[in-house]
Amino acid sequence: AYRAPDVSRKLLDFAQQVKLEGTPSALAAAEQRESFLLELQKPIVARYGFEPSAQGVKDAMFACARFAGMSLVDKRHNHMETLLAAGYPIDWTCSVQMQQLIRNQGTHREVPQTQFAIVQREVWAQSYEGRLAPVPRTDMISAEVTEELAAACKRGDSAKASMLLGARKVGASVKAVVLNIGYKALGPIGAKTLAKALSADLEVLELDISGNGIGPEGGKALAASIPQKLKVFKLNLSNNRLTLPGVQAMMAAIPKTVEVLSLGLAGMKTGPAGAAAVAAAIPPGVRELTIDIFGNGIRDEGVESLSRAMPKTLEYLNVVLSGNQLSRRGFFMLDRQIGDPLHE
């Protein structure tokens, strides 16, 4: 959208007028430029589940702020700055993350870690002098194969994707898939292709598909293809803007046979109804449960749904509740399950 010739000409006109600092025409041009860009941005953010409005654009910008510092994100930010500059040299830049921190704290500092890996990429192994050090997992699909898989998914080649995931025409297929395909710009089409490529015989599925903009359409396609024999299921859907219908479809597809369940749902903004969908999906015999529901606005009502759904079989529980508009009661609700399961 920003590279279209008519858009470039319009931005150039605005830039020339804004250069006349201190004049009424410069101020008017800046306001017109802001309105012009907003209309460009509305349909773009709507594709990723944000509201097509000024508030939706703000939400999208702040959702991306947490990825500042990633090389690919920085490259795209720099490219966007050159497009917006309309041929003029860039004097200085200030990222959305930096703007937020300066506004809120008067200075810039690194944001605290608010999320963690649902699908671990490394394991601890013995190193020198009896120390433990993180090493890459040997059972995870390699980075080279993952790039091939992402390309196959984006072009809709489900046969190639199935082969890369270990499917065989003759003999038994693999029973476990561990894949980190996060932030590969798969979109709904790529998610549908990946869904078709998943084997129905899988017993272990660890899938990080975060930050791919798969939307409700891709989420529902993936939900329809979740293998129903799973014992271990780890799924990171964070920052995909599935919206509530997409999350509900995905949760409803979780097999009741799962014993180890990890769900990454950060940034979905599903509210209490989303938490209720997660609660209803918790398998009755699950032993290990991890839920990252950061930034969903589930409020106390949502935490209560989750806490009431905790099965007695649990041996390990990890729930990320930050960014959910909770009161003190909500924050301690899961802890109180030990002695007050009805929150009376």
Side-chain angles (χ1 to χ4, degrees):
Y2 291 87
R3 286 182 292 188
D6 57 330
V7 173
S8 298
R9 285 193 297 270
K10 194 73 173 175
L11 290 175
L12 180 59
D13 291 341
F14 287 138
Q16 291 170 342
Q17 296 178 56
V18 170
K19 282 291 181 179
L20 303 174
E21 295 182 9
T23 64
S25 61
L27 179 60
E31 293 175 347
Q32 292 170 10
R33 178 177 180 269
E34 182 178 345
S35 300
F36 175 72
L37 290 174
L38 178 61
E39 295 307 313
L40 283 179
Q41 294 161 346
K42 284 179 181 179
I44 295 174
V45 300
R47 293 207 301 263
Y48 298 95
F50 293 92
E51 179 183 311
S53 65
Q55 185 59 48
V57 172
K58 290 179 183 178
D59 289 342
M61 293 174 69
F62 290 149
C64 294
R66 72 186 66 180
F67 306 113
M70 293 176 61
S71 59
L72 179 59
V73 175
D74 285 346
K75 287 178 182 178
R76 291 182 177 179
H77 283 171
N78 293 338
H79 179 58
M80 178 60 73
E81 290 295 340
T82 60
L83 293 175
L84 294 175
Y88 281 91
I90 299 173
D91 298 324
W92 61 277
T93 61
C94 185
S95 68
V96 173
Q97 177 191 351
M98 190 178 296
Q99 292 176 43
Q100 284 181 282
L101 291 168
I102 292 173
R103 180 197 66 192
N104 296 338
Q105 302 168 358
T107 184
H108 175 258
R109 68 178 186 183
E110 293 297 323
V111 296
Q113 187 71 23
T114 55
Q115 294 175 298
F116 57 92
I118 296 296
V119 178
Q120 297 290 342
R121 303 174 191 178
E122 297 176 322
V123 294
W124 292 99
Q126 189 168 353
S127 182
Y128 63 94
E129 296 180 353
R131 300 179 182 180
L132 292 177
V135 297
R137 292 179 62 170
T138 58
D139 59 344
M140 178 174 278
I141 293 176
S142 69
E144 294 77 13
V145 174
T146 299
E147 290 296 334
E148 285 188 64
L149 177 60
C153 288
K154 284 188 275 190
R155 65 173 181 264
D157 190 347
S158 57
K160 177 70 172 180
S162 296
M163 182 192 73
L164 292 170
L165 288 175
R168 301 173 184 171
K169 292 183 178 180
V170 180
S173 296
V174 295
K175 297 292 185 181
V177 166
V178 181
L179 172 66
N180 172 25
I181 198 169
Y183 297 92
K184 300 295 184 184
L186 295 183
I189 293 177
K192 289 181 179 179
T193 307
L194 181 62
K196 292 178 183 177
L198 291 175
S199 169
D201 296 325
L202 289 178
E203 296 179 359
V204 175
L205 176 59
E206 298 187 31
L207 174 61
D208 187 337
I209 195 173
S210 57
N212 274 288
I214 68 175
E217 187 180 351
K220 290 178 181 178
L222 193 60
S225 298
I226 296 299
Q228 293 301 300
K229 300 177 182 178
L230 291 175
K231 297 294 177 62
V232 176
F233 187 31
K234 299 183 179 182
L235 178 65
N236 190 359
L237 292 164
S238 299
N239 304 301
N240 269 300
R241 303 301 293 182
L242 295 190
T243 71
L244 180 58
V247 171
Q248 288 173 327
M250 186 63 69
M251 295 302 102
I254 296 176
K256 298 302 181 184
T257 57
V258 173
E259 298 177 3
V260 177
L261 178 63
S262 296
L263 297 172
L265 302 169
M268 297 293 181
K269 300 185 183 300
T270 58
V278 175
I282 297 175
V286 67
R287 294 182 293 102
E288 298 182 15
L289 178 61
T290 298
I291 303 173
D292 182 356
I293 201 165
F294 169 84
N296 273 267
I298 67 173
R299 302 195 292 276
D300 291 1
E301 178 186 346
V303 181
E304 184 163 354
S305 297
L306 289 173
S307 66
R308 289 180 181 274
M310 294 297 147
K312 301 299 183 183
T313 54
L314 276 180
E315 299 172 6
Y316 172 86
L317 175 64
N318 191 341
V319 183
V320 178
L321 291 173
S322 301
N324 278 296
Q325 306 166 28
L326 303 183
S327 71
R328 182 181 180 86
R329 175 175 177 267
F331 267 117
F332 290 100
M333 205 170 277
L334 286 168
D335 293 340
R336 291 179 59 194
Q337 274 286 67
I338 298 172
D340 183 16
L342 299 179
H343 313 298
E344 295 177 342

